[in-house]
């Protein structure tokens, strides 16, 4: 039976204390995107960036999303390096990002010691239009490995294209919540019975997907509010 463990605290503090090697690191860090100046970045909260003005909900804001570009790269590079120390040889890292932070995020993955393997576009059918321009209908998952990728037995063939929109209505409990169906495809990069680590657990969607796909889960989340959400969802999935 798959099991799970959720640590409350900052990933920079918790990652060095983990005593379990993991088979995949899958995370959705704060993008620290938006804002063309440092003042603009500091003045925007997560709700300002990720929630439309006519949204009919009051989901909790979250911190850590207003670093400047150099701070973001240094911070995420450190997270990636610490995650690598917790990963088995052949383990994969999958990191979500948007178009603006894609170059910086790929730099951070490689600076952290992972071998960059590719980009998986995530198409969102329900997305914001862009006046006088192209709809920003995609986010991206960057893939890296700890050395040569794990050889699955039997061999797995995973999609190079993901499609699905964010949960809506009562199913959405976090501003940047990812669809469980998307995450279930991604956690298969870990072998069945293996362990998935998410240093930014949020409301626990990665863990829910891991448990539903027969993987174990280790999560880290700094927000007490989100830890409460995640524990409930993980317990239900288990």
């Amino acid at each position: 039976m798959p099991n799970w463990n959720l640590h409350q605290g900052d990933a920079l503090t918790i990652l060095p204390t983990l005593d379990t090697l993991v088979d995949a690191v899958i995370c959705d860090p704060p993008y620290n995107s938006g804002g063309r100046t440092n003042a603009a970045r500091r003045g925007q909260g997560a709700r300002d960036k990720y929630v439309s003005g006519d949204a009919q909900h009051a989901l909790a804001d979250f911190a850590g999303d207003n670093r400047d570009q150099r701070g973001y790269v240094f911070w995420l590079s450190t997270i990636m390096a610490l995650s690598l120390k917790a990963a088995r040889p052949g383990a994969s890292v999958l990191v979500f990002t948007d178009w603006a932070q894609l170059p910086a995020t790929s730099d951070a993955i490689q600076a952290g010691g992972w071998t960059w393997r590719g980009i998986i576009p995530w198409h969102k059918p329900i997305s914001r239009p862009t006046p006088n321009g192209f709809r920003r209908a995609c986010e991206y998952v960057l893939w890296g490995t700890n050395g040569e990728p794990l050889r699955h037995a039997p061999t797995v063939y995973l999609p190079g294209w993901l499609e699905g929109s964010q949960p809506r209505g009562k199913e959405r409990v976090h501003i940047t919540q990812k669809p469980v169906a998307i995450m279930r495809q991604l956690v298969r990069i870990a072998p069945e019975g293996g362990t998935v680590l998410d240093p930014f657990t949020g409301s626990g969607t990665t863990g829910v997907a891991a448990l539903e796909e027969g993987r174990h889960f280790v999560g880290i989340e700094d927000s007490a509010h989100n830890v409460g959400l995640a524990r409930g969802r993980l317990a239900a999935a288990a």
Side-chain angles (χ1 to χ4, degrees), residues 28-217:
D28 178 24
Y31 289 175
N32 287 271
S33 192
R36 296 296 184 261
T37 66
N38 287 342
R41 284 174 184 264
R42 288 192 298 268
Q44 282 187 318
R47 283 190 61 84
D48 299 321
K49 300 178 187 178
Y50 307 123
V51 178
S52 59
D54 59 352
Q56 301 299 309
H57 61 70
L59 299 178
D61 208 338
F62 60 85
D65 200 55
N66 54 4
R67 295 176 178 86
D68 63 26
Q69 194 73 339
R70 295 184 70 181
Y72 169 75
V73 173
F74 182 83
W75 167 77
L76 189 57
S77 298
T78 305
I79 295 289
M80 290 292 100
L82 293 173
S83 297
L84 185 70
K85 291 182 180 296
R88 299 183 192 278
S92 285
V93 64
L94 299 174
V95 184
F96 280 85
T97 190
D98 67 358
W99 67 271
Q101 294 293 65
L102 195 157
T105 303
S106 71
D107 287 347
I109 289 172
Q110 294 170 83
W114 298 86
T115 301
W116 191 26
R117 295 285 174 182
I119 302 173
I120 305 123
W122 166 33
H123 174 241
K124 300 178 291 181
I126 302 174
S127 55
R128 295 185 193 180
T130 300
N132 306 307
F134 300 96
R135 180 182 290 270
R136 291 173 183 168
C138 282
E139 292 181 34
Y140 306 91
V141 182
L142 304 191
W143 173 38
T145 59
N146 184 7
E148 289 298 312
L150 173 71
R151 291 191 176 185
H152 291 253
T155 302
V156 297
Y157 297 93
L158 301 175
W161 170 267
L162 305 168
E163 186 166 71
S165 296
Q166 282 186 301
R168 299 171 70 83
K170 294 181 179 179
E171 292 185 3
R172 187 175 178 183
V173 295
H174 189 279
I175 292 176
T176 61
Q177 185 175 335
K178 301 299 183 283
V180 172
I182 293 290
M183 302 311 297
R184 289 188 67 163
Q185 296 177 73
L186 295 180
V187 299
R188 294 170 191 161
I189 196 66
E192 189 169 352
T195 300
V196 174
L197 166 66
D198 186 349
F200 307 101
T201 296
S203 61
T205 304
T206 302
V208 169
L211 295 173
E212 291 182 354
E213 289 293 325
R215 277 72 173 167
H216 305 292
F217 177 69

